[in-house]
């Protein structure tokens, strides 16, 4: 009889779990999604200085979502990354954490592990490409969290770009003006969207989501400071000086501004919210660093 019960328990595990009763209240459910603002029809966008920009690849590894806090009870582990095609305009799932209470939200962007979940339109070859180790002025022997390639055209002039960003960033204490974090009641279901500001690479002014878009500094990197071969590289961007403006004081050159100033701000909490951005804290505590 015991053996029969054990067999029934194993065969019905997916349905019942055969686990001890959980005396806690049923949790609330948070559907975390990502939506990119990249225009698809027609593709691309215009800059204020007369360039038309289109992407042919735009990958970002995002996830490791956690709901935390003194008044937050987490019910499950969603500590994995998802590789997303940021050219897609449709909302796409990141993860579904369950919790109760007033919770702070944390998520991360970093080079993906081998078992990262692939989003719609993302291939195993894309994952392998992001995992390929490389080095630049900002990181050494690591994969990429963000990769973008495409073209910019002005009249008969065309410039190409293909940039890997080997950053690791943690987003903590996310909030919008009217509300900080997430409040989940028992059996509640909410959706929280992280917007990807696909045009952010070309923002002319830091810390201004609606700042003008300009491509002239990138064209100058190739034509004036580089080899004028039509390909704008990160190495060429390091040779472009920044405007003598106090708002640019924290960056050494244009590549630094792009890599450490603009790219970490691609994900935008609830579209217009802010998070504290810092290095990844493997211990689970909040990071230091600035906000956006």
């Amino acid at each position: 009889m015991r053996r029969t019960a054990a067999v029934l328990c194993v065969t019905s595990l997916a349905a019942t779990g055969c686990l001890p009763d959980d005396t806690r209240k049923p949790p609330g459910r948070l559907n975390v999604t990502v939506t990119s603002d990249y225009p698809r029809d027609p593709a691309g966008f215009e800059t204020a200085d007369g360039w038309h920009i289109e992407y042919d690849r735009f990958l970002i590894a995002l996830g490791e979502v956690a709901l935390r806090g003194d008044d937050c009870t987490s019910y499950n582990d969603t500590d994995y990354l998802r590789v997303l095609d940021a050219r897609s305009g449709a909302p796409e799932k990141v993860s579904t954490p369950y919790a109760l209470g007033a919770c702070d939200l944390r998520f991360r962007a970093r080079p993906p592990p081998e078992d990262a979940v692939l989003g719609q339109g993302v291939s195993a070859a894309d994952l392998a490409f992001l995992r390929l180790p490389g080095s630049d002025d900002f990181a050494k022997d690591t994969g990429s969290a963000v990769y973008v390639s495409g073209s910019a055209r002005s009249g008969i002039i065309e410039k190409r770009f293909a940039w890997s960003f080997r950053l690791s960033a943690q987003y903590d204490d996310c909030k919008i003006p009217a509300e900080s974090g997430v409040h989940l009641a028992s059996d509640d279901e909410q959706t929280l969207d992280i917007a990807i500001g696909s045009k952010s690479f070309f923002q002319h002014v830091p810390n201004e989501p609606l700042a003008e878009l300009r491509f002239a500094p990138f064209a100058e990197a190739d034509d004036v400071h580089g080899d004028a071969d039509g390909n704008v590289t990160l190495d060429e961007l390091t040779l472009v000086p920044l405007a003598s403006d106090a708002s640019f004081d924290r960056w050494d050159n244009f590549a630094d501004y792009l890599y450490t100033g603009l790219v970490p701000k691609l994900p935008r909490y609830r579209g217009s919210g802010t998070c504290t951005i810092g290095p990844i804290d493997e211990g689970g505590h909040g990071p230091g660093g600035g906000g956006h």
Side-chain angles (χ1 to χ4, degrees):
M1 186 72 176
R2 287 182 181 175
R3 183 180 178 192
T4 301
V7 171
L8 288 173
C9 180
V10 171
T11 57
S12 62
L13 183 61
T16 67
C18 294
L19 298 173
D21 291 337
D22 191 336
T23 59
R24 298 178 297 177
K25 292 182 179 179
R29 168 179 175 143
L30 183 66
N31 301 309
V32 181
T33 61
V34 161
T35 305
S36 172
D37 65 358
Y38 180 66
R40 294 289 296 169
D41 188 20
F45 52 91
E46 309 296 324
T47 66
D49 53 2
W51 293 80
H52 178 79
I53 296 174
E54 291 186 26
Y55 300 147
D56 46 50
R57 293 179 82 189
F58 186 177
L59 302 171
I60 182 168
L62 202 67
E64 297 186 357
V65 176
L67 295 176
R68 306 177 299 171
D70 294 339
D71 298 318
C72 178
T73 302
S74 177
Y75 277 61
N76 66 326
D77 180 10
T78 56
D79 205 24
Y80 58 88
L81 284 176
R82 191 177 293 267
V83 180
L84 303 160
D85 180 351
R87 296 174 303 164
S88 172
E92 188 165 352
K93 175 181 176 179
V94 177
S95 61
T96 307
Y98 291 80
L100 275 178
C103 304
D104 294 326
L105 178 78
R106 182 213 76 193
F107 64 94
R108 292 168 172 166
R110 67 158 133 197
E114 187 176 10
D115 62 352
V117 181
L118 304 185
Q120 295 179 10
V122 178
S123 67
D126 291 329
L127 174 60
F129 177 78
L130 289 183
R131 287 178 45 77
L132 190 65
S135 301
D136 53 37
D137 288 348
F138 308 94
K140 184 177 181 180
D141 297 330
T142 186
S144 304
V146 176
Y147 175 78
V148 63
S149 65
S151 62
R153 296 181 181 86
S154 178
I156 62 171
I157 302 172
E158 180 180 72
K159 297 291 184 184
R160 298 283 310 171
F161 53 87
W163 303 320
S164 292
F165 298 98
R166 306 178 187 281
L167 77 156
S168 295
Q170 181 162 306
Y171 301 79
D172 267 289
D173 303 323
C174 298
K175 57 189 176 183
I176 54 177
E179 183 180 17
S180 178
V182 180
H183 300 261
L184 288 169
S186 184
D187 290 323
D188 193 11
E189 181 168 1
Q190 299 181 30
T191 296
L192 185 152
D193 190 66
I194 300 170
I196 302 297
S198 65
K199 306 171 189 177
S200 298
F201 301 102
F202 306 100
Q203 276 184 216
H204 182 60
V205 180
N207 303 319
E208 293 289 343
L210 299 178
E212 280 188 347
L213 307 176
R214 297 190 183 179
F215 190 77
F218 298 87
E220 178 186 337
D222 183 44
D223 291 336
V224 178
H225 303 282
D227 56 12
D229 68 348
N231 296 304
V232 181
T233 68
L234 289 175
D235 286 341
E236 290 172 337
L237 288 171
T238 64
L239 304 175
V240 178
L242 290 169
S244 55
D245 185 303
S247 59
F248 290 95
D249 284 351
R250 61 179 293 187
W251 297 288
D252 295 331
N253 51 59
F254 207 89
D256 189 18
Y257 169 58
L258 172 65
Y259 206 115
T260 67
L262 296 181
V263 172
K265 296 180 181 180
L266 286 170
R268 298 172 181 171
Y269 175 73
R270 295 190 187 270
S272 60
T274 62
C275 299
T276 299
I277 306 174
I280 287 179
D281 176 16
E282 301 293 357
H285 302 290
H292 84 299

